Amino acid sequence: MPYMHGVYTTEIPTSVTPPVQATAGLPVVFGTAPVNLATEPAPVNKPVLCYTYEEAVKQFGYSDDWQKYTLCEFIKSHFALFNVAPVVLVNILDPATHKKSVAAESVTLVDDQATLANDGVLKDTVVVKSQDGATTYVANTDYTIAFDDAGRAVISRLATGAIAAGATLTVNYDHLDPSMVTSSDIIGGVDATTGAYEGLELLNQVFPLFRLVPGMVLAPGWSHDPAVAAVMVAKASNINGHFKCIALTDVSTSEVKKYTDVPNWKETNTYTSPRQAVCWPKVKLSDEVFYLSTQLAGVICRTDAENDDVPYASPSNKTLQANGAVLADGTEITLGPDQAAYLNGQGIITALNFIGGWKAWGNRTGAYPAITDPKDAFLPVRRMFDWIANSLILMFWQKVDYPISRRLVDTVVDSANIWLNGLAARGFILGGRVEFIQDENPTTDLMDGIIRLHVYVTPPSPAREIDFIVEYDPQYLKSLFAA
């Protein structure tokens, strides 16, 4: 040690660790997109973080044909109707493989333009020839290609080019075929050749890419497939080996057309996870029809935003952007409060138009009624448990591999308790504390570098039932004789 003479200072780590909160409701959405319409196409099977409608459309394109392009439904609902952000979008439709070829389609120019028959045209594959096929015309010299409002490719003749006015042309091209995308593509996995992640496996890439913890996983248009829903729940239950979130899933409105049949479908197809919201039916706004899971995500994100991104409030009895509920075939569904309560009692979230317009209605996870533990049966309580756990991981990851000492234990316990006390003071939880309990930390575990801290926490349950007891009180008859 060097010889020292004077006054010196040193620093030690702060005894209280500042809180780091997990993103409560970040949606990660899997589906198909009209990438041929994108000006800056996002890679296939790559999570993309979007904060605005413009960002999303620029990278994924947009089409009103939501049956073919399921991500567009979510883009419209989340950004345009609920005005919440951000969202992570993952396009599974691969223009290299999910496509069909058209040979020698004949079109005739009218007012110097002709529209191709198929949507999803891949612009770079278009070859325009003369009617007899003898002459191949040059793009941007003889003609241009643009997309109209319906997403159709329009060939426009250039007056300075070689194409005659009113000519009949022969066109070869490839176009997207979303029908080739299957549930297996959404489920994905790991490519055996390249090792690349695909489909729902990409949920594990969201935090490493963006440092944001997923709050919800969705696949509108696909989550009514039991195989897809099962993998959604499995992935939501174990993200990167540490984090957890919920899966928003739908019941098939093609198969289930009566509300009384929904519980049996739910149980038969095992939509029964504590980390699963089960939605039925669809909802509509004018002529646009949405999966209920899509709009429920918007309700959840807006509700969280109103509470400083703390997911303690239920999305139930919050306004949907809808003016009707429908089945897949367009049949309108109108439930009364008693019918909606029946679905809620079976762990199903629905849409109710009773007081205050159309509202999301239901607090229960898919685990109810088989499981009644509040942390697993109530959606907001389940979300709070996951959010608190995710936040503790983020907060104390920096302490991993520190020497186990009393100072380390005190720092973690004190920091966590200060944070929980703050949540309680703001009404986000009824109370909470962290303890380091000797019986839960045997000597052999401490020797092996393992410490356990016991978190006690009580998020508020939603007031699903408010009862008034009304009694006739004859004592008030005396008021008739009052002076």
Side-chain angles (χ1 to χ4, degrees):
M1 185 173 180
Y3 177 81
M4 303 177 72
H5 181 194
V7 179
Y8 304 91
T9 65
T10 58
E11 294 184 359
I12 62 173
T14 305
S15 59
V16 175
T17 302
V20 179
Q21 294 186 356
T23 43
L26 176 68
V28 183
V29 191
F30 296 80
T32 53
V35 288
N36 66 306
L37 302 178
T39 56
E40 298 177 8
V44 179
N45 275 307
K46 176 74 179 290
V48 178
L49 180 66
C50 297
Y51 277 87
T52 66
Y53 179 87
E54 290 73 20
E55 276 185 284
V57 171
K58 185 184 294 184
Q59 297 181 84
F60 294 94
Y62 182 82
S63 169
D64 287 326
D65 192 343
W66 296 346
Q67 288 192 333
K68 289 182 178 179
Y69 305 111
T70 58
L71 287 181
C72 294
E73 173 189 319
F74 196 89
I75 291 170
K76 176 65 176 289
S77 175
H78 215 65
F79 290 118
L81 300 185
F82 287 95
N83 193 29
V84 285
V87 59
V88 175
L89 301 171
V90 185
N91 172 48
I92 306 300
L93 192 157
D94 188 349
T97 56
H98 302 131
K99 65 178 181 177
K100 285 186 177 178
S101 297
V102 174
E105 179 178 317
S106 180
V107 296
T108 300
L109 295 174
V110 177
D111 295 331
D112 290 337
Q113 292 186 332
T115 302
L116 298 181
N118 295 284
D119 65 2
V121 170
L122 298 171
K123 193 174 177 179
D124 293 342
T125 68
V126 176
V127 178
V128 179
K129 298 183 178 182
S130 57
Q131 186 175 17
D132 60 6
T135 302
T136 299
Y137 297 111
V138 180
N140 299 319
T141 297
D142 300 316
Y143 66 93
T144 61
I145 300 176
F147 294 98
D148 63 17
D149 291 341
R152 301 277 180 175
V154 179
I155 297 173
S156 297
R157 166 186 171 270
L158 293 175
T160 56
I163 301 175
T168 297
L169 306 173
T170 298
V171 186
N172 302 330
Y173 60 91
D174 294 340
H175 67 91
L176 299 175
D177 185 4
S179 68
M180 296 176 69
V181 179
T182 66
S183 297
S184 296
D185 295 314
I186 300 295
I187 292 169
V190 180
D191 187 286
T193 303
T194 65
Y197 287 4
E198 298 175 342
L200 287 165
E201 200 69 36
L202 291 162
L203 190 63
N204 281 327
Q205 289 192 354
V206 173
F207 185 78
L209 284 172
F210 310 118
R211 291 301 182 265
L212 297 174
V213 179
M216 297 179 279
V217 57
L218 297 98
W222 300 95
S223 67
H224 57 273
D225 183 318
V228 173
V231 177
M232 288 171 64
V233 169
K235 297 304 177 185
S237 301
N238 186 11
I239 304 169
N240 303 120
H242 293 279
F243 303 121
K244 298 175 177 62
C245 71
I246 60 167
L248 304 190
T249 58
D250 294 284
V251 173
S252 172
T253 57
S254 298
E255 297 178 47
V256 185
K257 300 186 177 183
K258 295 192 298 183
Y259 78 95
T260 51
D261 293 337
V262 180
N264 182 62
W265 190 96
K266 168 183 174 272
E267 296 296 321
T268 300
N269 291 286
T270 323
Y271 281 53
T272 54
S273 171
R275 286 195 174 81
Q276 181 174 23
V278 184
C279 304
W280 184 93
K282 293 184 171 184
V283 293
K284 70 171 185 175
L285 182 64
S286 298
D287 295 329
E288 295 179 326
V289 178
F290 301 81
Y291 284 93
L292 184 52
S293 66
T294 293
Q295 289 225 359
L296 182 62
V299 173
I300 287 173
C301 288
R302 177 176 286 180
T303 302
D304 290 350
E306 292 169 352
N307 294 288
D308 289 342
D309 202 33
V310 180
Y312 86 113
S314 174
S316 184
N317 205 18
K318 304 296 192 301
T319 301
L320 295 165
Q321 295 298 319
N323 58 12
V326 294
L327 300 176
D329 60 10
T331 302
E332 292 208 14
I333 299 293
T334 304
L335 301 176
D338 50 346
Q339 297 165 318
Y342 167 72
L343 291 176
N344 296 163
Q346 300 300 314
I348 297 153
I349 296 172
T350 189
L352 179 66
N353 181 27
F354 190 58
I355 296 175
W358 284 92
K359 304 289 185 77
W361 198 252
N363 300 294
R364 298 296 191 177
T365 69
Y368 192 80
I371 296 175
T372 57
D373 185 335
K375 75 176 181 65
D376 292 324
F378 276 127
L379 183 61
V381 178
R382 177 67 268 161
R383 294 187 65 226
M384 277 296 286
F385 263 75
D386 288 344
W387 178 79
I388 288 170
N390 292 342
S391 296
L392 289 170
I393 291 168
L394 294 173
M395 200 181 307
F396 295 110
W397 188 269
Q398 59 190 297
K399 298 298 183 184
V400 172
D401 294 333
Y402 266 52
I404 295 176
S405 65
R406 190 67 222 184
R407 180 177 179 83
L408 173 65
V409 172
D410 287 344
T411 297
V412 173
V413 170
D414 292 346
S415 302
N417 279 327
I418 290 171
W419 178 61
L420 291 173
N421 289 340
L423 294 179
R426 301 182 65 187
F428 295 143
I429 58 176
L430 300 181
R433 70 186 189 280
V434 176
E435 295 181 1
F436 182 65
I437 301 172
Q438 184 171 353
D439 289 346
E440 295 178 352
N441 289 273
T443 302
T444 51
D445 282 355
L446 294 173
M447 292 170 61
D448 199 31
I450 300 169
I451 60 173
R452 291 185 179 85
L453 299 121
H454 199 128
V455 182
Y456 299 85
V457 65
T458 307
S461 297
R464 68 177 183 88
E465 180 178 342
I466 300 175
D467 293 329
F468 288 94
I469 299 172
V470 183
E471 179 183 352
Y472 182 91
D473 189 347
Q475 294 294 324
Y476 290 107
L477 292 173
K478 294 178 182 178
S479 65
L480 296 173
F481 303 100

